[in-house]
């Protein structure tokens, strides 16, 4: 199967366009090749879903086209650099309860990309009442309904790129340019 989506066990981020295979993937096979019947590399094995916990189940591989971009980064920088907005955001269910769709900014530290650009964090007033931060509704014109959407869009961007983040701030919409930065532990 093609164009499947799984969640990263390490980060929870969605991994898009993976190949689903019934070829046996055993513990330790991650990072190994997935070959077609002619011996051509078509993917890199990354995960298995096994209801029983055995090595049987459904395997998932990163397509070779995706791997190409990652290899270029490894050769150039010695590591994979993922662009970030530098925010913490509320769980999707919290935003749904507010009756809006988007990603609610809980924290946008001033030294991060979103903070430098002026995105507003959720905070409390002097009486302890909650004042909602910005709600991200789109990035570069692509609609953001939840955190997975935000990750999907950012994964198509590059470090140093300027993106237009559309936010719902109070009762009006603002478009804010944000320069994406690498994750701090990757710089």
């Amino acid at each position: 199967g093609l164009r499947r989506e799984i969640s990263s066990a390490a980060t929870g981020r969605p991994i898009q366009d993976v190949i689903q295979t019934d070829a046996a993937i055993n513990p330790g096979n991650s990072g190994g090749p997935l070959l077609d019947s002619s011996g051509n590399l078509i993917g890199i094995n990354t995960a298995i879903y096994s209801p029983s916990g055995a090595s049987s189940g459904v395997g998932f591989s990163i397509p070779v086209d995706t791997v190409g971009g990652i290899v270029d980064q490894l050769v150039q920088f010695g590591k994979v650099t993922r662009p970030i907005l530098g925010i913490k955001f509320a769980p999707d269910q919290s935003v749904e309860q507010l009756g809006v769709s988007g990603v609610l900014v809980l924290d946008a530290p001033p030294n991060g990309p979103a903070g430098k650009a002026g995105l507003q964090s959720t905070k409390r007033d002097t009486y302890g009442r909650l004042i909602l931060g910005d709600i991200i509704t789109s990035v570069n014109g692509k609609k953001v309904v939840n955190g997975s959407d935000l990750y999907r869009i950012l994964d198509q961007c590059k470090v140093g790129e300027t993106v237009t983040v559309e936010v719902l701030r109070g009762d009006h919409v603002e478009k804010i340019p944000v320069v994406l930065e690498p994750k701090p532990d990757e710089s």
Side-chain angles (χ1 to χ4, degrees):
L2 300 175
R3 304 188 71 84
R4 301 292 197 253
E5 181 175 300
I6 59 175
S7 291
S8 166
T11 65
R13 285 178 78 138
I15 303 172
Q16 295 177 277
D17 296 333
V18 296
I19 300 168
Q20 177 182 323
T21 178
D22 61 357
I25 296 181
N26 299 304
N29 285 160
S30 291
L34 179 68
L35 306 173
D36 67 12
S37 58
S38 299
N40 297 310
L41 177 68
I42 59 172
I44 302 294
N45 298 325
T46 191
I48 184 168
Y49 172 72
S50 174
S52 68
S55 295
S56 61
V58 181
F60 297 98
S61 299
I62 305 295
V64 71
D65 295 344
T66 303
V67 172
I70 292 170
V71 169
D72 291 344
Q73 287 186 41
L74 288 171
V75 169
Q76 186 174 356
F77 304 111
K79 60 187 176 254
V80 177
T81 56
R82 297 224 185 267
I84 61 162
L85 281 176
I87 63 169
K88 290 182 183 161
F89 57 86
D92 296 334
Q93 308 88 301
S94 301
V95 182
E96 288 170 15
Q97 290 172 350
L98 295 171
V100 295
S101 66
V103 170
L104 172 62
V105 178
L106 291 179
D107 189 25
N111 60 339
K116 290 175 190 171
L119 264 73
Q120 295 183 355
S121 304
T122 298
K123 50 190 169 286
R124 294 194 180 271
D125 66 12
T126 53
Y127 299 104
R129 293 178 296 209
L130 204 58
I131 300 171
L132 295 181
D134 289 335
I135 298 173
I136 298 171
T137 56
S138 79
V139 175
N140 281 351
K142 296 176 184 164
K143 188 172 182 177
V144 173
V145 174
N146 54 37
S148 290
D149 289 345
L150 182 61
Y151 284 135
R152 270 188 219 102
I153 295 166
L154 290 176
D155 282 344
Q156 296 169 2
C157 299
K158 292 183 171 43
V159 170
E161 184 178 337
T162 300
V163 295
T164 302
V165 179
E166 189 171 287
V167 299
L168 179 60
R169 181 174 289 171
D171 59 357
H172 64 282
V173 173
E174 290 197 27
K175 292 184 178 184
I176 302 169
V178 179
V179 179
L180 299 176
E181 295 180 9
K183 285 175 70 173
D185 59 325
E186 295 178 347
S187 54

